[in-house]
Amino acid sequence: MHGYAGKMLFVDLTHGILTEKPLPEKLARLFLGGYGIGARILYDMMPPGADPLGPESVLGFVTGPCTGTKAFFGSRYTLVHKSPVTGGWNDANSGGYFGPEIKKAGYDAVFVSGMAAKPVYLLIRDGRAEIRDASHLWGKDTKETWRLLQEELKQPKLRVVAIGPAGEKMSLLSCPINDGHRAPGRGGGGAVMGAKMLKAVAVYGTGEITVADPQKVTEINKKIAANLKKNPGAHAFGQMGTGGGTGASALSGDTPVKNWAGVGIRDIGPEKAELLGSANLDKYKLKKYACYNCPLGCGAEYKVTDGRWPLEQTERPEYETAGAFGALLLNTEEDVVLKCNDICNRYGLDTISTGGTIAWAMECYENGVLTREELDGIDLTWGNGEAIAALTQKIADQEGCGAVLAHGSAYAAQKWGKGSEYLQVASGIELPMHDPRLGPGLARTYQYDPTPGRHVKGGIGLPQVFGAFPDKYDFSNTGEMDVAATAAQEVENCAGLCTFMIQSGIPDAKEQYLAAVTGWTFTREDSYETGLRILNMRHAFNLREGLKPADFTLSPRAAGKPPLAEGPLAGVEIDTEQLAKNFFLKVEWDLATGKPSPESLQRLGGLDDVIKDLYSV
Amino acid sequence: MKVTLKAFGLASFYLREKLESIELPAGATIADLLEAVTIKDTDRDLSLLSAAKFFVNGKSAGRDTVLHDGDEIIFLLHLAGG
């Protein structure tokens, strides 16, 4: 089977049993890879109602058919599990080199169940896997863990995904980090690993993934390379990374400001907005960083030699990070963003949710809901850089108020019994840094995607942010476009391709790659069906957990309720009900129960057990 | 008349040269300003320019906004953030 390693690894940590199974071609054809295969497997392996932090919880690291091949942008793997934050389905993907290494080591996916009695790590070397003691690594940060494992195993090319102290202590903001700074960041995956006492997965492989039509892959690559050369946007992206747009986004309304209540042009202003953009931050740049086989290379390594927080080796913050520790907190001090980014990467924390949690605490503090005493003496005023860095460290260490805030804003509001009116969340997870008031479709995506609160999930919202759909505030008739865009994103993500391939200049690049890599026919119609099947599989996982549409919530501020009075988004109020209705109708999900029509599931195929689970009395 | 232009991040990659002060005829609009300062290379993909956003003296503006002497224009383009 071209494009796949052809095997999956199942690890039972409770009993120390490792089992290898072939990857069935039917499973690959129907669910492709990533969270498609992930959702299908977890639906089979996990009982409904399983505790995400308990022994029945299953965690998967799943690649796609393009991962690790010569196809550009094929660097991604997806972490899949039930979220301890939202209580529903969770997937988060990451680039770097870890995903490709899993395939080179002989596996398309690794699924981990059970719980170890003491800290362990999973070592995979060219098709040989073993569970090893990680007692000596427990307490180490993610970069140190990677380095120690490389030294210990005498393998400088070893790739590692590891949790830091935040995941070990099961912070709900925690995530694993691969390659020292790339993260499947969202939804509490670090806590799931921590609960299993799985410190890391270390992988080394020398295998090669065959593709059906290598010449065609090369042709597509050449075409993309030529297109990128002609595109000033791609040039800017390669030079400045995702953080190149930070200043513009803070002013345009794309980045939420002051816990979603502010206006960038008024509260930050053009002079300060650009301070957190790459144009300013890149004075710390040591060298460029690109994920596996990426023609753009949006990353960079930094070094900060002086100031409040010298950092010997750190990374350029992503846009989401600069937004979450910047405009969202009214902070324009660059060293604060660099320091907080560094803490999060080392301790293994999701930068979006950590920044979002601090924004919530700031607004609570401003309104007297949280006192300085409750915040351990920190004067958490808007834009106070010292305070932001201090609180981030407390969250990382789970020290004082950080022990509560380490589990996110929704948890803290519930634990302390106050401040829920200032939460900016979707189903309990902090919102990412693209504002639905600028791209209204994001409101539907954030609220009703089976993985809520994500900017990398499909829909019409991001295209609206970036200029498509001039009538974006007309909320009628969005269903067809919304579902088509969602299905397309499902396929891109599950193929193992990076979403920034949007810069490729070839609208059906993913279908072309998938056909060339697998040898299967992969028309846009095939793509649409596959995407819908994967979407329904994730959705089915949530339905089996008892979640209904009414359980999927979005804090009203992000939808313009009430509307902003000033700035470029003044007066915008999104008809979230209409957007949801349009989407549900087109995708054939019942608005009240969430159940997909049996006919639609039958048509898509591969979901017979879901039909039975949903419709058998 | 003379106006000042600040191009943020990605937008600066679409300028023919780094200009801060631009001379324009009276009655010129933002569309005229863009015509005067952005790259014209027909071999290049300039589609993203259609998503540009503008502020004039701190207020949101559109392509048909008429400019005046001394105006400060902010020219923004988004990068997909991750």
Side-chain angles (χ1 to χ4, degrees), chain A residues 74-131:
Chain A
S75 69
R76 314 298 286 192
Y77 77 97
T78 309
L79 187 71
V80 295
H81 55 89
K82 181 178 174 182
S83 172
V85 182
T86 67
W89 171 258
N90 197 79
D91 56 82
N93 79 49
S94 179
Y97 292 80
F98 179 77
E101 201 73 16
I102 298 179
K103 282 177 79 171
K104 287 199 280 179
Y107 299 103
D108 295 297
V110 178
F111 293 97
V112 183
S113 60
M115 296 167 93
K118 58 175 189 172
V120 295
Y121 74 95
L122 179 65
L123 175 63
I124 304 172
R125 285 183 290 193
D126 272 329
R128 287 173 294 119
E130 56 187 306
I131 300 166

Side-chain angles (χ1 to χ4, degrees), chain A residues 70-257:
Chain A
K70 289 195 164 56
F72 280 163
F73 305 105
S75 69
R76 314 298 286 192
Y77 77 97
T78 309
L79 187 71
V80 295
H81 55 89
K82 181 178 174 182
S83 172
V85 182
T86 67
W89 171 258
N90 197 79
D91 56 82
N93 79 49
S94 179
Y97 292 80
F98 179 77
E101 201 73 16
I102 298 179
K103 282 177 79 171
K104 287 199 280 179
Y107 299 103
D108 295 297
V110 178
F111 293 97
V112 183
S113 60
M115 296 167 93
K118 58 175 189 172
V120 295
Y121 74 95
L122 179 65
L123 175 63
I124 304 172
R125 285 183 290 193
D126 272 329
R128 287 173 294 119
E130 56 187 306
I131 300 166
R132 288 193 163 202
D133 178 53
S135 303
H136 59 302
L137 301 171
W138 208 248
K140 305 290 184 197
D141 75 33
T142 60
K143 293 184 187 190
E144 181 74 349
T145 300
W146 183 23
R147 188 186 66 77
L148 287 169
L149 282 171
Q150 282 180 326
E151 282 177 11
E152 180 177 317
L153 297 162
K154 299 182 175 52
Q155 182 46 263
K157 291 182 178 172
L158 190 76
R159 297 291 172 180
V160 169
V161 64
I163 53 170
E168 292 171 10
K169 293 176 187 169
M170 289 184 274
S171 158
L172 296 186
L173 301 180
S174 67
C175 60
I177 300 279
N178 59 275
D179 300 287
H181 63 106
R182 294 277 158 188
R186 313 231 55 215
V192 178
M193 282 180 74
K196 294 187 177 308
M197 302 200 90
L198 178 63
K199 176 66 180 174
V201 179
V203 189
Y204 174 66
T206 55
E208 196 175 326
I209 303 301
T210 65
V211 299
D213 190 344
Q215 199 180 333
K216 181 69 181 169
V217 171
T218 305
E219 274 174 33
I220 303 167
N221 285 352
K222 280 183 179 167
K223 175 73 178 156
I224 289 175
N227 287 349
L228 294 178
K229 269 188 186 163
K230 291 190 290 187
N231 180 354
H235 178 56
F237 197 82
Q239 190 167 318
M240 302 193 295
T242 59
T246 304
S249 293
L251 298 177
S252 71
D254 184 23
T255 315
V257 175

Side-chain angles (χ1 to χ4, degrees), chain A residues 166 169-174 349 354 357 394-399 401-409 411-412:
Chain A
K169 293 176 187 169
M170 289 184 274
S171 158
L172 296 186
L173 301 180
S174 67
L349 285 165
T354 303
T357 297
K394 274 182 175 286
I395 288 171
D397 290 326
Q398 295 199 25
E399 191 251 316
C401 65
V404 174
L405 292 169
H407 300 301
S409 53
Y411 174 91

